Amino acid sequence: MVVVSVRSWVANEGGKHFVLMLWLGANIWLFMKTFLLYSTGKQYHYLYKMLGLGLCISRASASVLNLNCSLVLLPMCRSLLTFVRGTHTVSSRKTRRLLDKSKTFHVACGVAICIFSVVHVSAHLVNVVNFSMSYSDDFPALNLARYRGEDPKLIILTTIPGVTGVLLVLILFLMFTSSSYCVRVSNYEIFWYTHNLFIVFYIILMVHMVGGALKYQTNLEAHPPGCLRANQSSTEQHGEELGQNEDEERRCREEAHFQPHCPQTWLWVSGPLCLYCAERLYRYIRSSNPVTIVTVIRHPCDVIELRMLKKNFKARPGQYIVLNCPGVSSFENHPFTLTTCPTEIKATFGVHLRVVGDWTERFTQLLLPESRLDMEILPMVQQRRYPNLYVDGPFGSPSEEVFNYDVSLCVAGGIGVTPFACVLHALLDGWTGFRLQRLYFVWVCRELQSFYWFAELLCAVHHKLWQENRPDYFNLKLYVSQPDSLQCMSEERYRPLTSRLLVGRPKWKLLFDEIAKTNKHKKVGVFCCGPKGISSTLHRLCNSARSSGTTFEFNKESFS
Amino acid sequence: MGKIEWAMWANEQALASGLIYLTGGIVGVAGQFRGWQFAAFAVAAGVFVCLLEYPRSKRAKGTSVERTGQYCFSVVVKSFGPLTRNYYVRAFILAALCVPGGFMLATVLGCVCLGISSIIYLVAAIRGEHWEPILPRKETKTKDTGSMIRPPQNPPPRPPPDMHRKRVEDLGGAAYDNAIDVTADE
């Protein structure tokens, strides 16, 4: 039993943890290498004597900061990641699964930046105090202070590294405090606008080292560190009797020359920064054509379906788009999963959006000004004045992998069914050519009315597969979790749904056992798009032991 | 677009600043640097700010997420009444507490961060926000009987609840016709 559980865990979590170990290893190696360079390197001998450990710690943390500042931008290049996801020749399924965790990697790098900034700032504060107190009369070129005992605060505020350092810390502080989960969920705009200060952060970061506060010695052969100066003799230092000849050998041939480092940060950071800026530019250009709104349909339980048309728009099932409506708010962008993708036959694509929050309310009011309760479909000739709408995307998501497993289990909670609706549409259009042999579909809703959003689609898929003699391809289970009042779905054409409708919450363990028994020794892809409670239960079940040799691989869709 | 709740962001900032202030103060006192009295003040002020800012306010619209174990802090902060409810007072307190930190190197960062939080609280106060404690809701949820809710009260045949009134008059029509085919829960 234990062996199988380890296998499940490795299949699910192994890739992520491997990348995490690599990243940690790179950070630790860089830290140790720079630390040792500054503590044992001959060219830093005099500087080390003046500043001590503070020098090594500050430079080591600076190099780790360089690495993380460059890595933090890469997971946010969404179009690039979508492209990598789409090219199956370049990446395997394991690599694509790692791409699901790109936001987590971004957060990890961000946290590392904050932690090492604290270390860096503390070490440099100690350095500044040492620059002031251990003012070196022997090597005046090394000093940052102008005189012995200069107030450290003055040193900070009158040098470029000091001033830029203070600004960087302030920006980092603002960015960090506004990216907590609480603020993101309640006021996304605050998070978005403060996070966009990153460009100021990077510009200041690249000039942070200008001015050369730390210098290294350039003439090591002529002046080996620790050699005797012209006015010293070895007896002063060692108190032993040494011959005059040895004194001469160890005498410095010339004074020590010092030179500041060139700023190195731009080497690390400019590549990813250019890549990210190119990505933003590309997304801006791509989304600059407004889309044509074709249909707006109102569904029960506060859901609006929107069908649109855009030139050269291609999408795969499971991807999502970001909507921007200047009539509602010029700067807000909201992600929505596609529920229909454009095909050769039909060029429109659609989203279902649930009206919860200011933006969606106002958007719905603009689309359907009069409160009509029924469907509203006008032929394109008589198109009403819809607001201007811009679409950015499509972007990749974990749900694209549904077709790449032999068996897939899709669990949807409420409006989380949208990525799978697109999958079902793809099945309806033509299910050959996929690797998928069997699809389990579990949809949990609070109210029975919610099932009407896709009742037609589900029945159509069911009928089509039944006609084509594949009755076990599509296994549907619908759950109504809060049957407070008795509702009924009495239409005859929705018979396949009502006969698969269960009251109450699903029993996940039993479901997993049933799937495992009927699919022995297979890899089942579990896709969850719903509330945290369901996804954590499913994640735990995927990692647990299974006696029939089935492995469940967990893929979670999330937006916040 | 939409009402931004500045107080929530100010709260996160103030808590982080309090911690930074406290850390800077500890370093200043431990190293016995010049002006360590300011650092000692910073320690006390940092602790006070953390205690004051730990309980999150209830949001005006939407669900509020509590911090772990914040209930007792919430009760204490609530008991100060208008002093803690009003954000003008809070902004002023933070501004006053941050000033001594500016005189010592170790606490300068905490001072600036607290100052920024004070400004954001001022903005929140101008927009008319105030602090509300998050109190536990009276638990009115039904007992968790698994997936079966409201087991039937009467023996079969069981008409639906709204047909109770008709049952007495119309005994003939009491035969129950199930509207939904409900399958047994496995």
Side-chain angles (χ1 to χ4, degrees):
Chain A
M1 269 302 180
V2 176
V3 175
V4 180
S5 168
V6 166
R7 192 175 77 186
S8 302
W9 188 89
V10 167
N12 273 301
E13 319 285 327
K16 296 194 294 228
H17 285 81
F18 178 66
V19 171
L20 181 68
M21 289 299 127
L22 273 183
W23 173 74
L24 274 179
N27 278 308
I28 292 174
W29 176 79
L30 200 56
F31 190 92
M32 296 310 303
K33 181 171 108 122
T34 323
F35 189 93
L36 288 172
L37 174 68
Y38 278 85
S39 61
T40 56
K42 284 212 163 60
Q43 67 268 47
Y44 300 111
H45 176 88
Y46 293 116
L47 196 59
Y48 183 62
K49 264 184 29 188
M50 189 156 88
L51 297 177
L53 261 186
L55 169 71
C56 308
I57 294 183
S58 65
R59 294 304 305 149
S61 53
S63 58
V64 169
L65 279 175
N66 277 336
L67 174 69
N68 282 304
C69 283
S70 66
L71 285 179
V72 80
L73 286 173
L74 295 176
M76 290 294 119
C77 299
R78 272 188 237 201
S79 306
L80 183 64
L81 292 182
T82 307
F83 173 71
V84 171
R85 221 190 255 274
T87 53
H88 284 222
T89 45
V90 173
S91 55
S92 68
R93 194 172 68 202
K94 274 200 169 54
T95 329
R96 290 198 293 274
R97 261 189 98 223
L98 287 177
L99 291 178
D100 297 349
K101 290 288 160 198
S102 51
K103 202 168 69 113
T104 317
F105 186 67
H106 175 85
V107 169
C109 288
V111 168
I113 290 178
C114 287
I115 293 176
F116 280 101
S117 296
V118 169
V119 171
H120 182 80
V121 166
S122 319
H124 267 315
L125 285 179
V126 171
N127 284 345
V128 162
V129 170
N130 279 331
F131 265 128
S132 158
M133 292 194 327
S134 319
Y135 183 85
S136 171
D137 297 308
D138 296 331
F139 305 104
L142 266 184
N143 289 310
L144 187 63
R146 276 170 285 260
Y147 49 87
R148 188 178 285 272
E150 186 180 7
D151 189 6
K153 286 202 282 290
L154 242 119
I155 299 180
I156 292 180
L157 291 174
T158 50
T159 51
I160 293 184
V163 169
T164 50
V166 167
L167 286 175
L168 285 172
V169 167
L170 283 179
I171 296 181
L172 191 65
F173 176 70
L174 282 177
M175 282 171 64
F176 175 68
T177 51
S178 62
S179 47
S180 68
Y181 175 71
C182 215
V183 175
R184 265 184 289 139
V185 160
S186 58
N187 297 308
Y188 196 78
E189 301 90 45
I190 292 181
F191 162 70
W192 182 242
Y193 295 142
T194 39
H195 236 66
N196 274 309
L197 287 175
F198 80 94
I199 192 77
V200 179
F201 182 88
Y202 275 98
I203 292 175
I204 299 182
L205 187 65
M206 291 204 264
V207 299
H208 181 55
M209 274 284 276
V210 165
L214 298 174
K215 305 182 179 67
Y216 65 98
Q217 186 186 341
T218 46
N219 54 349
L220 285 173
E221 286 89 42
H223 181 119
C227 67
L228 299 171
R229 316 286 307 286
N231 51 1
Q232 284 173 345
S233 72
S234 62
T235 49
E236 282 174 8
Q237 293 178 20
H238 298 288
E240 288 169 8
E241 284 295 326
L242 280 179
Q244 198 68 4
N245 295 337
E246 293 185 17
D247 257 4
E248 286 302 323
E249 271 175 25
R250 292 174 50 201
R251 227 165 259 291
C252 317
R253 287 195 284 283
E254 50 180 52
E255 286 293 311
H257 293 145
F258 295 102
Q259 203 181 320
H261 277 296
C262 315
Q264 260 191 349
T265 311
W266 68 273
L267 276 173
W268 288 90
V269 154
S270 51
L273 193 61
C274 287
L275 193 64
Y276 185 72
C277 291
E279 143 103 21
R280 288 287 286 262
L281 191 64
Y282 169 69
R283 272 164 50 181
Y284 178 72
I285 294 178
R286 194 169 60 166
S287 65
S288 56
N289 309 330
V291 296
T292 331
I293 299 181
V294 174
T295 324
V296 178
I297 306 170
R298 197 190 278 271
H299 287 287
C301 301
D302 291 330
V303 163
I304 304 279
E305 181 181 348
L306 191 63
R307 290 280 176 105
M308 298 165 275
L309 199 58
K310 187 173 167 182
K311 222 163 56 139
N312 292 334
F313 184 83
K314 297 209 182 357
R316 294 188 293 272
Q319 290 184 326
Y320 68 96
I321 53 172
V322 174
L323 293 183
N324 173 271
C325 184
V328 175
S329 162
S330 337
F331 297 116
E332 280 189 40
N333 297 298
H334 291 260
F336 295 102
T337 317
L338 287 170
T339 44
T340 34
C341 294
T343 57
E344 293 106 22
I345 318 161
K346 190 167 56 71
T348 55
F349 58 96
V351 293
H352 277 64
L353 41 105
R354 207 173 82 165
V355 180
V356 52
D358 313 356
W359 191 89
T360 34
E361 268 177 34
R362 183 91 189 97
F363 188 49
T364 318
Q365 275 168 17
L366 284 182
L367 291 174
L368 302 166
E370 304 98 61
S371 56
R372 288 196 210 158
L373 293 166
D374 39 53
M375 307 221 298
E376 155 126 25
I377 306 178
L378 297 173
M380 273 178 77
V381 178
Q382 297 173 5
Q383 206 171 38
R384 57 159 62 247
R385 308 272 309 161
Y386 285 126
N388 261 350
L389 187 64
Y390 297 93
V391 156
D392 188 9
F395 299 113
S397 82
S399 310
E400 285 182 58
E401 292 294 311
V402 174
F403 294 119
N404 295 328
Y405 283 93
D406 287 330
V407 182
S408 286
L409 164 65
C410 297
V411 175
I415 192 68
V417 74
T418 39
F420 309 126
C422 213
V423 165
L424 293 177
H425 267 119
L427 270 183
L428 201 57
D429 292 334
W431 55 272
T432 51
F434 304 140
R435 193 175 146 176
L436 186 65
Q437 302 288 316
R438 188 174 284 177
L439 176 64
Y440 291 88
F441 192 79
V442 177
W443 188 8
V444 186
C445 279
R446 282 226 176 94
E447 298 164 347
L448 194 68
Q449 298 287 321
S450 314
F451 293 124
Y452 281 111
W453 304 334
F454 295 109
E456 302 264 0
L457 175 63
L458 290 170
C459 290
V461 172
H462 171 87
H463 281 128
K464 173 177 159 163
L465 289 166
W466 201 276
Q467 299 291 333
E468 299 187 0
N469 203 18
R470 291 290 294 249
D472 57 348
Y473 194 100
F474 183 53
N475 302 285
L476 177 65
K477 281 184 170 51
L478 304 174
Y479 288 85
V480 177
S481 59
Q482 282 180 22
D484 284 332
S485 58
L486 215 56
Q487 308 148 39
C488 62
M489 198 187 252
S490 51
E491 291 93 335
E492 183 55 40
R493 61 176 192 263
Y494 296 145
R495 222 39 156 113
L497 301 188
T498 54
S499 59
R500 286 166 175 78
L501 182 65
L502 294 145
V503 171
R505 296 224 169 92
K507 293 196 168 53
W508 300 113
K509 182 136 192 355
L510 297 180
L511 190 70
F512 268 64
D513 288 342
E514 177 196 326
I515 296 180
K517 267 201 287 266
T518 43
N519 296 286
K520 288 199 165 100
H521 300 294
K522 284 224 160 92
K523 256 207 175 82
V524 178
V526 178
F527 298 87
C528 177
C529 184
K532 238 203 226 327
I534 296 184
S535 64
S536 46
T537 315
L538 291 180
H539 198 167
R540 214 184 34 241
L541 279 172
C542 288
N543 281 343
S544 64
R546 207 122 314 262
S547 53
S548 51
T550 329
T551 335
F552 289 89
E553 278 189 16
F554 184 66
N555 303 280
K556 185 172 79 116
E557 176 96 39
S558 73
F559 276 131
S560 64
Chain B
M1 160 82 226
K3 231 165 124 43
I4 294 185
E5 287 186 43
W6 295 95
M8 179 154 277
W9 184 29
N11 172 267
E12 300 278 326
Q13 285 229 299
L15 189 62
S17 322
L19 284 170
I20 296 176
Y21 210 35
L22 175 65
T23 315
I26 292 177
V27 166
V29 167
Q32 289 284 308
F33 294 120
R34 202 174 51 200
W36 64 271
Q37 293 88 344
F38 291 114
F41 174 80
V43 170
V47 170
F48 174 72
V49 166
C50 286
L51 290 175
L52 177 66
E53 298 293 337
Y54 190 71
R56 254 193 209 125
S57 165
K58 195 151 102 135
R59 282 177 64 191
K61 204 168 77 153
T63 47
S64 323
V65 180
E66 283 196 327
R67 292 205 175 98
T68 357
Q70 82 164 37
Y71 179 60
C72 26
F73 296 98
S74 209
V75 165
V76 170
V77 172
K78 175 169 164 251
S79 62
F80 282 94
L83 277 182
T84 43
R85 216 175 110 91
N86 190 318
Y87 282 145
Y88 281 111
V89 172
R90 215 179 262 224
F92 178 71
I93 289 178
L94 289 184
L97 284 178
C98 85
V99 165
F103 293 105
M104 203 208 157
L105 184 61
T107 50
V108 153
L109 189 61
C111 159
V112 176
C113 295
L114 260 185
I116 296 180
S117 320
S118 164
I119 294 176
I120 305 180
Y121 263 127
L122 194 62
V123 172
I126 294 176
R127 309 282 311 280
E129 301 174 22
H130 56 266
W131 188 84
E132 280 283 337
I134 302 181
L135 297 167
R137 265 184 334 185
K138 311 282 182 294
E139 291 295 331
T140 52
K141 281 204 291 230
T142 56
K143 318 168 270 305
D144 190 12
T145 50
S147 57
M148 191 60 199
I149 301 180
R150 276 207 309 235
Q153 308 289 333
N154 307 309
R158 283 187 281 270
D162 55 26
M163 279 175 65
H164 264 284
R165 283 167 272 131
K166 292 194 206 155
R167 205 169 133 217
V168 180
E169 295 93 9
D170 181 13
L171 284 171
Y176 179 47
D177 186 17
N178 217 335
I180 301 178
D181 292 342
V182 176
T183 55
D185 212 359
E186 282 94 54

